[in-house]
Amino acid sequence: MDTAFERNPKRQTILFYMLLAAAMVVLIQTFFLLSSIYLSFILTLLISLALNPLVNKLRVFTGGRKAATAAVAIAIVVIFAFSSWAFYIPLRDSVSNLTKVLPGYWERLQKPLIKMEQHAQRTETRMQEEVNSELSKETESRENELAQPLPELEDPSSSLEPGTLRTNLAEMLKGIVGNFTKVAFNGAQII
């Protein structure tokens, strides 16, 4: 018995294109969620395609594909371990040196920031005093005309937190370190 799809090839192609379009829509919608999985799969595929000729040549000496693949995998792990070991010692020394000198850099960076902050507070206080003196002069001149003097302005320097510039800088550095950590973790996860 012939079904309707077997008799009408035009319906088959329409159905095929509809399924293809649906699959593309699903792929596009889920790409951002599954991009790390896709990229890991593509990376694995590229590595396996690059190592395939080596496995085929080793197959002659080892007698089978499983042994050749295991030999290549062990060689990669050994190379990665030695590379990590070679980078570990200089990296450890660099990090220890950085932890020793970082407080000094932080102090040298903090001193000008504290001076700038204090100068800004003094300038703001001076400007507020000038505004208050101008207002008091205007108030005195209008005192005869107006029954109530103008209210005093609130001192904005009282609401200024002393560590805002330093805390913002510290938060920015934490964000940069956090982003670097995420990138390094994702790179290590892909490897």
Side-chain angles (χ1 to χ4, degrees):
M1 287 191 184
D2 290 335
T3 62
F5 286 121
E6 290 175 355
R7 283 181 289 175
N8 193 350
K10 191 173 187 177
R11 282 184 133 180
Q12 283 181 325
T13 56
I14 291 173
L15 180 64
F16 172 74
Y17 286 122
M18 287 176 59
L19 289 174
L20 184 64
M24 290 296 290
V25 167
V26 168
L27 178 72
I28 290 170
Q29 293 295 324
T30 60
F31 182 76
F32 291 111
L33 297 172
L34 302 174
S35 62
S36 62
I37 296 171
Y38 292 153
L39 292 176
S40 297
F41 177 73
I42 290 171
L43 183 64
T44 304
L45 184 66
L46 288 174
I47 290 172
S48 66
L49 288 175
L51 295 177
N52 191 32
L54 181 63
V55 170
N56 285 337
K57 286 183 181 181
L58 286 178
R59 203 167 89 185
V60 173
F61 299 113
T62 59
R65 186 163 181 86
K66 288 181 182 179
T69 305
V72 169
I74 290 171
I76 289 173
V77 168
V78 167
I79 289 171
F80 184 73
F82 281 131
S83 299
S84 300
W85 181 67
F87 285 113
Y88 170 73
I89 294 172
L91 185 64
R92 182 192 61 192
D93 294 341
S94 296
V95 169
S96 67
N97 288 339
L98 182 64
T99 56
K100 289 177 186 175
V101 297
L102 193 60
Y105 288 146
W106 181 249
E107 285 296 320
R108 288 188 352 205
L109 180 66
Q110 256 185 336
K111 288 178 184 178
L113 292 176
I114 291 171
K115 287 180 182 179
M116 286 174 36
E117 192 174 350
Q118 290 171 349
H119 179 69
Q121 287 177 349
R122 285 192 303 264
T123 304
E124 188 174 352
T125 304
R126 248 186 283 136
M127 289 177 65
Q128 186 64 36
E129 289 172 358
E130 288 178 14
V131 168
N132 285 339
S133 68
E134 289 292 323
L135 285 175
S136 65
K137 287 179 185 178
E138 286 182 23
T139 307
E140 289 173 5
S141 67
R142 294 185 186 174
E143 198 171 60
N144 296 333
E145 298 172 9
L146 299 174
Q148 297 179 351
L150 292 174
E152 290 289 321
L153 291 176
E154 184 179 312
D155 186 16
S157 64
S158 64
S159 65
L160 186 66
E161 294 181 19
T164 56
L165 193 54
R166 285 176 286 179
T167 55
N168 287 342
L169 184 62
E171 288 175 9
M172 182 180 68
L173 287 174
K174 285 180 187 176
I176 290 171
V177 170
N179 287 339
F180 178 75
T181 305
K182 288 178 187 175
V183 168
F185 180 73
N186 286 341
Q189 189 177 18
I190 287 175
I191 288 175

